[in-house]
Amino acid sequence: MLIPIRCFSCGIVIADRWTKYKKLIQPKDEGGEGKSIEEALDEVKLTRYCCRRMFVSHVELIEEVAPFSTYRY
Ligand SMILES: [Zn+2]
């Protein structure tokens, strides 16, 4: 869904780096920078492997789920 605000293991705030990370790994022909995941994680300064796994293992499903979350009366 959404990236968790903090790393589950060490508690450092990680969500603020998600947008930059996504832009870095996006292919160049789609407007990103086309970097590898390893380079992108280094650039957003996620060095611990507990924090890196939060980004690597994350599947962003918010766009698919959001249409079904309508206002309830
Ligand atoms: Zn961590």
Side-chain angles (χ1 to χ4, degrees):
M1 199 79 84
L2 289 170
I3 187 80
I5 303 298
R6 290 176 178 266
C7 172
F8 291 151
S9 299
C10 70
I12 192 176
V13 177
I14 56 169
D16 57 330
R17 307 166 201 211
W18 178 248
T19 310
K20 187 178 179 189
Y21 170 79
K22 263 191 349 187
K23 178 110 178 152
L24 288 170
I25 61 168
Q26 197 175 27
K28 280 186 179 170
D29 55 341
E30 292 174 20
E33 296 191 24
K35 296 198 172 182
S36 71
I37 290 174
E38 185 184 2
E39 288 170 328
L41 287 170
D42 288 340
E43 193 155 320
V44 296
K45 294 188 172 59
L46 283 178
T47 51
R48 297 181 192 141
Y49 64 79
C50 60
C51 308
R52 290 169 84 98
R53 64 93 203 257
M54 298 292 290
F55 276 32
V56 172
S57 62
H58 181 66
V59 180
E60 199 161 57
L61 292 173
I62 189 66
E63 297 298 329
E64 291 166 48
V65 175
F68 301 103
S69 57
T70 55
Y71 182 76
R72 289 185 208 166
Y73 296 100

